Amino acid sequence: MERLWGLFQRAQQLSPRSSQTVYQRVEGPRKGHLEEEEEDGEEGAETLAHFCPMELRGPEPLGSRPRQPNLIPWAAAGRRAAPYLVLTALLIFTGAFLLGYVAFRGSCQACGDSVLVVSEDVNYEPDLDFHQGRLYWSDLQAMFLQFLGEGRLEDTIRQTSLRERVAGSAGMAALTQDIRAALSRQKLDHVWTDTHYVGLQFPDPAHPNTLHWVDEAGKVGEQLPLEDPDVYCPYSAIGNVTGELVYAHYGRPEDLQDLRARGVDPVGRLLLVRVGVISFAQKVTNAQDFGAQGVLIYPEPADFSQDPPKPSLSSQQAVYGHVHLGTGDPYTPGFPSFNQTQFPPVASSGLPSIPAQPISADIASRLLRKLKGPVAPQEWQGSLLGSPYHLGPGPRLRLVVNNHRTSTPINNIFGCIEGRSEPDHYVVIGAQRDAWGPGAAKSAVGTAILLELVRTFSSMVSNGFRPRRSLLFISWDGGDFGSVGSTEWLEGYLSVLHLKAVVYVSLDNAVLGDDKFHAKTSPLLTSLIESVLKQVDSPNHSGQTLYEQVVFTNPSWDAEVIRPLPMDSSAYSFTAFVGVPAVEFSFMEVLQGRLPAVAQAVAQLAGQLLIRLSHDRLLPLDFGRYGDVVLRHIGNLNEFSGDLKARGLTLQWVYSARGDYIRAAEKLRQEIYSSEERDERLTRMYNVEFYFLSQYVSPADSPFRHIFMGRGDHTLGALLDHLRLLRSNSSGTPGATSSTGFQESRFRRQLALLTWTLQGAANALSGDVWNIDNNF
């Protein structure tokens, strides 16, 4: 009997292990199909479906021919028992299959362009799974919406918007304490504050900024009243300038080129430009590049009539904005502004060398009436005059700016829910807390949404939810001065964050209207945003999702929604400086008393995005999207191939790197698509965005090292600007050695910087060094 039992065990070992097929819903290009996944049977539950009755044979001499075995009576009895064994095996197999299916539902072995790892199970029993520690997408979604709906978002917005929130003020100190106390009352694992000592610029009450008429003899005449002395341009150059006035539309490079083409030279003049389209900092930088003496910035009523955040903007009000072309403390560029640190005195290259001052529409109207010269183009016309605007030049003006720099402590506030499996990877969500004046649009809405999300996720944790990755909630200070708080934090923890921060979600500028919806984002998040938009109800189109609202007006949803990250967003530094994919959502236009409903929609969108990012086994980042970006951007280089060939130069090197990246991205996508559930190398493939930071330039000298979104000679944009000089003998193109034209040595360096960064990204996606081939 013992021998029979030994042969029975041997038969089990020799028989093939069972396999089971699990069908799982797949998002992405193959959405709607069921994907087969082969899974090994659980240990100790091998099936007997392949078992055959054993025949006992006596020993045979080596080399002898096989012969028919002789059956003994009790072996025959074993054969008669075989059907019962098979039936038992089938029952065991069925039980193992069902257990394996339940245990396997939360995994994803088939991940296409868009990875859905949190299972969708509408029939799941909440209480049972709470105790087992497993939650599925539909249940997490329902739990999140339930707890979010119990908040008082409108009241929080109203209370925050009424408080004084100027960085460094006593009111901001009180608000900082209140928000930290609010976080401490929630079920968070860690709450703390980081303090930075930064250089901020403020008006000098004893020496206010002034604007005067100047007569033909050069004598300073009547002063034009600046109705609000507290409104100024932080980081403007200090001093006084005198020059003739010229109207320059929005102050874009194309506006200034058009102005020059119409015979009005900006050199040596004061420019009058409108608020909007580009940042204050870009307007002043462009004016400086074209040789202007100074800039006056006014709010054109024609632009604000459809801009609901400021419907009550008085004609006597000016609009605030900083003019540092960069982020962070401009007096410690590339370094953190912690106390007791000593760095050599240095100023950011983004600080302007010409003064700038905001003025009201009333003052702008008085100035425009004095302008002569050519009539401005039709698209430049506004509503301040009953007659057409002219370009100028006009009378001379004297602008005096006396702002002063002050060392100011600012405080960022943090709250953290530690992840279950990957606590050392952070999904970060933040909102600017400070604002120069009262109102909700700039920062109160984002702060209120942040607090509601903290409260909601805290309630979810109390009811069984624990994210896979850590959730890090941050209230930033110093945002109105150029994302100072967020950038200083990034500079202070750069060595840690480029490895551990996996995504950043910004709540700044979330509600500027309720009609148009924009997502300013890294391409890596585009597919995930599309997926989540289909889960959120539109705040102003009943019965529609946000996705349906968008495609109703434009079938190409991403062309309608997706925008590049702007420099004045805290999200920009995360991507362009640290290499962390980031997104900032904004509703735009036609806000008609629906702010609470729209804010609630943003909270739903951000919260469901956080669930996916913190809970999915594989981060739902679509790195294949950068292949499209690379093709689109580098395609712009093709028009210069002939010009370069005539000089004996070629772009083939960068084309080869582009091909290597696209092939590596597709190969990795296929590996993820067919990967085993526990493949750690693939589950930690996070730093794709980081690969696009040039490793060949200094983060102190060129902090925005991203080759597509950054600034500097290493970027694709700089290379294109330089190539355009091949077709221009003019010295008027700003910012690219315009006085000497195209330079072959500079071109070769730019091409090397761009190519090796792109090739490095391809190498990183290729995996281990033995899989990399740089023979291109």
Side-chain angles (χ1 to χ4, degrees):
M1 192 66 184
E2 291 178 356
R3 184 178 182 187
L4 178 62
W5 177 247
L7 290 171
F8 174 74
Q9 288 182 313
R10 184 179 175 211
Q12 285 184 304
Q13 294 168 357
L14 293 175
S15 64
R17 295 188 67 189
S18 65
S19 65
Q20 60 186 27
T21 302
V22 178
Y23 292 90
Q24 178 167 304
R25 193 177 303 278
V26 176
E27 293 282 346
R30 306 181 64 176
K31 183 176 179 181
H33 295 275
L34 296 176
E35 195 70 19
E36 290 189 8
E37 302 180 348
E38 293 296 322
E39 183 184 56
D40 290 338
E42 293 186 3
E43 183 178 352
E46 289 119 312
T47 181
L48 299 181
H50 303 287
F51 173 71
C52 296
M54 300 301 298
E55 300 175 346
L56 299 181
R57 303 178 181 178
E60 297 178 354
L62 288 174
S64 65
R65 298 183 63 180
R67 57 184 176 84
Q68 291 295 327
N70 294 321
L71 298 179
I72 59 177
W74 52 267
R79 293 190 62 180
R80 287 194 297 272
Y84 300 100
L85 291 174
V86 171
L87 180 59
T88 303
L90 286 174
L91 290 173
I92 294 173
F93 174 83
T94 302
F97 176 87
L98 293 174
L99 286 173
Y101 174 73
V102 171
F104 195 66
R105 318 161 61 173
S107 69
C108 172
Q109 292 180 341
C111 302
D113 289 338
S114 180
V115 184
L116 180 61
V117 184
V118 183
S119 299
E120 299 185 56
D121 180 16
V122 296
N123 298 316
Y124 126 93
E125 294 288 340
D127 293 338
L128 175 65
D129 281 45
F130 283 177
H131 293 298
Q132 292 180 348
R134 179 175 291 276
L135 295 170
Y136 300 103
W137 168 247
S138 59
D139 309 294
L140 287 174
Q141 187 181 43
M143 183 193 297
F144 170 76
L145 294 176
Q146 173 193 338
F147 290 124
L148 181 67
E150 295 174 357
R152 304 180 63 184
L153 185 56
E154 183 176 2
D155 289 344
T156 308
I157 293 173
R158 183 182 299 109
Q159 293 167 11
T160 305
S161 65
L162 295 175
R163 301 187 64 163
E164 181 189 8
R165 289 168 285 146
V166 178
S169 67
M172 172 56 81
L175 180 60
T176 299
Q177 292 179 359
D178 290 348
I179 289 182
R180 173 158 184 166
L183 297 187
S184 299
R185 289 193 294 269
Q186 303 301 326
K187 193 176 181 63
L188 302 177
D189 296 303
H190 310 283
V191 176
W192 73 101
T193 301
D194 248 359
T195 301
H196 298 266
Y197 293 79
V198 298
L200 304 183
Q201 200 184 71
F202 296 96
D204 185 349
H207 303 90
N209 300 341
T210 60
L211 183 66
H212 289 80
W213 296 111
V214 176
D215 64 21
E216 294 181 358
K219 183 179 178 180
V220 176
E222 175 191 357
Q223 179 176 341
L224 286 89
L226 299 178
E227 293 95 337
D228 189 349
D230 288 333
V231 176
Y232 70 113
C233 287
Y235 303 123
S236 165
I238 309 304
N240 62 82
V241 293
T242 301
E244 295 177 314
L245 185 68
V246 168
Y247 173 53
H249 202 211
Y250 292 110
R252 298 169 297 184
E254 56 266 37
D255 295 332
L256 297 171
Q257 289 165 358
D258 194 2
L259 193 66
R260 179 176 285 165
R262 294 172 184 271
V264 182
D265 196 339
V267 173
R269 267 104 183 225
L270 291 179
L271 301 189
L272 177 65
V273 300
R274 295 153 68 148
V275 171
V277 181
I278 60 175
S279 71
F280 278 43
Q282 290 170 304
K283 296 175 192 294
V284 177
T285 297
N286 295 335
Q288 179 178 303
D289 288 342
F290 277 82
Q293 289 270 60
V295 184
L296 301 174
I297 307 172
Y298 81 98
E300 168 61 51
D303 296 332
F304 280 74
S305 59
Q306 297 299 318
D307 193 348
K310 307 177 184 69
S312 60
L313 184 70
S314 166
S315 63
Q316 297 181 342
Q317 284 182 291
V319 177
Y320 165 98
H322 78 88
V323 293
H324 172 218
L325 191 66
T327 64
D329 181 356
Y331 305 108
T332 58
F335 298 98
S337 297
F338 289 116
N339 199 16
Q340 308 303 324
T341 55
Q342 298 296 321
F343 294 111
V346 64
S348 165
S349 60
L351 286 173
S353 61
I354 61 175
Q357 175 68 30
I359 62 173
S360 69
D362 277 355
I363 297 300
S365 178
R366 291 181 61 180
L367 297 177
L368 286 165
R369 284 190 173 90
K370 299 286 187 179
L371 292 181
K372 307 297 183 183
V375 174
Q378 182 58 42
E379 60 272 20
W380 291 30
Q381 296 297 326
S383 61
L384 283 175
L385 306 179
S387 57
Y389 291 12
H390 287 253
L391 298 177
R396 299 177 73 193
L397 294 167
R398 179 180 176 85
L399 173 64
V400 179
V401 174
N402 293 316
N403 306 335
H404 64 96
R405 170 185 165 190
T406 303
S407 180
T408 308
I410 62 171
N411 298 282
N412 298 323
I413 311 167
F414 302 82
C416 177
I417 297 174
E418 279 199 38
R420 177 188 70 254
S421 305
E422 301 175 36
D424 58 335
H425 288 104
Y426 319 142
V427 177
V428 187
I429 184 165
Q432 173 183 329
R433 184 173 73 258
D434 68 295
W436 186 247
K442 180 65 176 179
S443 64
V445 172
T447 297
I449 294 174
L450 180 73
L451 293 175
E452 284 301 301
L453 289 174
V454 170
R455 183 195 56 77
T456 300
F457 277 95
S458 174
S459 298
M460 293 173 66
V461 169
S462 298
N463 284 270
F465 171 65
R466 175 62 67 170
R468 179 184 184 90
R469 301 172 192 90
S470 295
L471 284 168
L472 188 55
F473 303 92
I474 310 178
S475 174
W476 303 116
D477 199 353
D480 261 3
F481 291 84
S483 302
V484 174
S486 57
T487 302
E488 295 307 309
W489 184 69
L490 293 174
E491 289 174 343
Y493 300 97
L494 180 62
S495 299
V496 173
L497 293 175
H498 87 272
L499 294 171
K500 297 192 173 186
V502 295
V503 171
Y504 176 66
V505 179
S506 170
L507 298 174
D508 297 341
N509 304 304
V511 182
L512 304 176
D514 66 352
D515 185 23
K516 297 293 185 180
F517 173 78
H518 294 154
K520 292 158 276 189
T521 185
S522 159
L524 292 174
L525 292 166
T526 302
S527 296
L528 177 60
I529 292 168
E530 178 182 6
S531 174
V532 176
L533 284 176
K534 296 176 182 178
Q535 306 289 327
V536 178
D537 292 337
S538 166
N540 58 354
H541 293 274
S542 179
Q544 287 187 344
T545 64
L546 274 177
Y547 180 82
E548 291 168 336
Q549 173 186 330
V550 169
V551 298
F552 180 79
T553 57
N554 191 335
S556 178
W557 81 272
D558 51 348
E560 176 74 10
V561 170
I562 302 302
R563 296 287 187 273
L565 285 166
M567 185 181 287
D568 56 358
S569 165
S570 60
Y572 178 82
S573 291
F574 271 85
T575 299
F577 177 54
V578 184
V580 173
V583 60
E584 177 179 289
F585 302 113
S586 293
F587 279 92
M588 312 290 290
E589 299 178 11
V590 198
L591 190 65
Q592 298 175 345
R594 300 178 53 82
L595 190 151
V598 180
Q600 189 79 4
V602 174
Q604 291 183 22
L605 179 63
Q608 295 189 53
L609 199 72
L610 293 180
I611 293 173
R612 291 290 311 276
L613 290 167
S614 66
H615 196 281
D616 283 11
R617 181 180 64 86
L618 292 177
L619 268 173
L621 301 179
D622 186 1
F623 50 82
R625 286 274 183 168
Y626 259 118
D628 300 334
V629 173
V630 170
L631 283 174
R632 183 173 68 254
H633 284 291
I634 295 185
N636 296 329
L637 299 174
N638 288 334
E639 62 175 289
F640 301 103
S641 296
D643 302 272
L644 290 170
K645 186 176 181 180
R647 292 171 174 258
L649 301 172
T650 178
L651 292 166
Q652 185 57 45
W653 195 19
V654 75
Y655 294 153
S656 298
R658 172 202 65 189
D660 283 354
Y661 176 83
I662 293 173
R663 285 187 292 273
E666 176 59 22
K667 179 175 179 289
L668 182 58
R669 191 190 71 82
Q670 292 293 338
E671 288 181 16
I672 291 178
Y673 186 81
S674 58
S675 71
E676 294 295 330
E677 180 182 3
R678 301 302 176 190
D679 190 329
E680 281 296 313
R681 186 179 75 83
L682 295 179
T683 59
R684 292 190 169 240
M685 183 61 68
Y686 289 158
N687 289 343
V688 178
E689 196 78 65
F690 178 74
Y691 303 151
F692 292 107
L693 299 188
S694 176
Q695 304 302 305
Y696 308 102
V697 296
S698 163
D701 298 332
S702 300
F704 304 126
R705 293 178 292 153
H706 203 288
I707 58 173
F708 298 123
M709 303 182 199
R711 293 182 58 85
D713 245 21
H714 58 284
T715 63
L716 178 60
L719 177 61
L720 283 169
D721 285 342
H722 192 194
L723 288 174
R724 291 187 182 102
L725 294 177
L726 286 167
R727 300 181 179 180
S728 173
N729 295 321
S730 147
S731 62
T733 304
T737 62
S738 54
S739 59
T740 55
F742 180 83
Q743 297 179 357
E744 181 176 330
S745 60
R746 183 181 179 216
F747 164 76
R748 289 182 179 275
R749 173 172 171 77
Q750 286 179 306
L751 188 65
L753 288 171
L754 177 67
T755 302
W756 269 115
T757 303
L758 186 56
Q759 185 65 42
N763 292 348
L765 292 186
S766 297
D768 298 304
V769 291
W770 47 83
N771 295 321
I772 299 172
D773 180 10
N774 278 326
N775 294 319
F776 66 94

